[in-house]
Amino acid sequence: MNRVVITGMGTLNPLGNDVPTSWSALLKGVSGIRPLEGFQVDDLAVRFGGQIRGFDPESVLEKKDARRYDPFLQFSMAAAVEAMTDSGWVVPPERCERTGVLIGSGIAGLATMLEDCETLVTRGPRRVSPFFVPYTIANMASGIVSMRYGARGPNTCVVTACTTGTHAIGDAFRIIQRGEADVMIAGGVEAPVNRLGLAGFASMRALSTRNDDPQRASRPFDRGRDGFVIAEAAGVVVLESLAHALARGARIHAEVVGYGMSGDANHMTAPPEDGIGAQLSMRAALRDAGLRPEDVAYVNAHGTSTELNDKIESHAIRQVFGAHAAKLAVSSTKSMTGHALGGAGGIEAIFCALTVAQGKIPPTINYTDPDPECDLDYVPNVMREAPVRVAISNSFGFGGTNGTLAIARWDAEP
């Protein structure tokens, strides 16, 4: 099996429109959550969220495409361009079938769906855009990125709710392990911050309603948490076989060493009380990587800031790591980015790669009133410097779908 390394990273999220800006804000404990802008919010129950700000689609797309593309496609392309530039990989025509794309989205073109549904109702079926279908299907993110780079290797996508980004990177990792490609552009994207997305999640009572205090609304593991904060984001990495990366002299950020996934088989939206699905996912990733629990120093938790998830994930971590759980650093970067659904796993894999590379552990902000049922070290409010050889990243989604990535520090081999 081929070893797989990360040689490029790109992101847009509420903290910034590139990796350096986002990472700097994350380590400073800055919240990216603000009152919503750009559409009517007066009649919405929730009027804040994590929006990408200051992004010009024409910086990465032709003018007509920048105007037409759904935001999830714009964000995908921008994150992929940053990741590919960072990697320094230029796909040569004679090797194009050895580079693939696997970018997933939980909901995909929600803004386009909303717009064309309104057109159908108010103006009739003949006025629905001919671009409605291509701009809403989830696999189009992989499609447009493959066209940009001439990548003719494996081309697919993952649609697994809030586990999408983690599953996308994990599945791309497997493709390279098996030797079906040398390079995979992989990650997750979501653009759900519009009237339909807010109304839908608010109706489920899944969102925080702290309209008067947006920046302190996402408070994972804190007793005062009251729901997650919806956000938009894209996180894309360039994965590469170790042999391919070394042969071309690529800079290596980190190594992906394990991948696990599982199903809750329990409920459409609620995890089981014992967190068995989360446990199975973490155990599978450790087993896949050949790691012992004590080899892991940091967990980037799913940590949504909902009553059930945070308590059950904490319990699951205790079950998997046993006595070592007391020594683990566990943080939720969603306390600063909000929850980007299918995009979350992509940006959180990038944060894990930077954590193992730099030995800087992001904090969980807004942690002021510890919940006694969440009894781990959540790196409260302030970034911590500590050596981290291995980090794991958890993602759990509606439908009971779970994923875990294990990411290790890269030490150049002699």
Side-chain angles (χ1 to χ4, degrees), residues 315-402:
H315 173 74
I317 290 171
R318 280 218 169 270
Q319 293 301 305
V320 170
F321 288 92
H324 182 63
K327 299 178 181 177
L328 279 174
V330 180
S331 70
S332 171
T333 46
K334 291 183 180 74
S335 61
M336 291 166 276
T337 64
H339 187 5
L341 314 179
I347 60 175
E348 289 162 14
I350 290 171
F351 297 153
C352 281
L354 290 166
T355 296
V356 299
Q358 299 183 11
K360 295 178 179 177
I361 302 173
T364 303
I365 70 166
N366 301 324
Y367 185 76
T368 58
D369 185 9
D371 182 344
E373 293 193 90
C374 301
D375 56 353
L376 299 169
D377 173 7
Y378 301 109
V379 195
N381 302 308
V382 179
M383 178 271 288
R384 181 181 303 162
E385 294 199 35
V388 177
R389 192 176 75 80
V390 179
I392 66 168
S393 180
N394 282 333
S395 294
F396 312 131
F398 286 167
T401 180
N402 309 300

Side-chain angles (χ1 to χ4, degrees), residues 252-277:
I252 296 173
H253 293 292
E255 180 173 5
V256 181
V257 294
Y259 172 42
M261 50 183 170
S262 69
D264 287 341
N266 180 66
H267 187 272
M268 290 179 69
T269 58
E273 284 288 333
D274 60 1
I276 185 61

Side-chain angles (χ1 to χ4, degrees), residues 301-325:
H302 187 56
T304 55
S305 182
T306 59
E307 171 66 24
L308 275 181
N309 174 85
D310 293 358
K311 179 177 65 175
I312 292 173
E313 184 176 14
S314 297
H315 173 74
I317 290 171
R318 280 218 169 270
Q319 293 301 305
V320 170
F321 288 92
H324 182 63

Side-chain angles (χ1 to χ4, degrees), residues 35 103 132 205 209 217 222 342 354 410:
I103 299 173
F132 168 65
R205 300 181 185 276
T209 56
D222 186 275
L354 290 166
W410 169 253

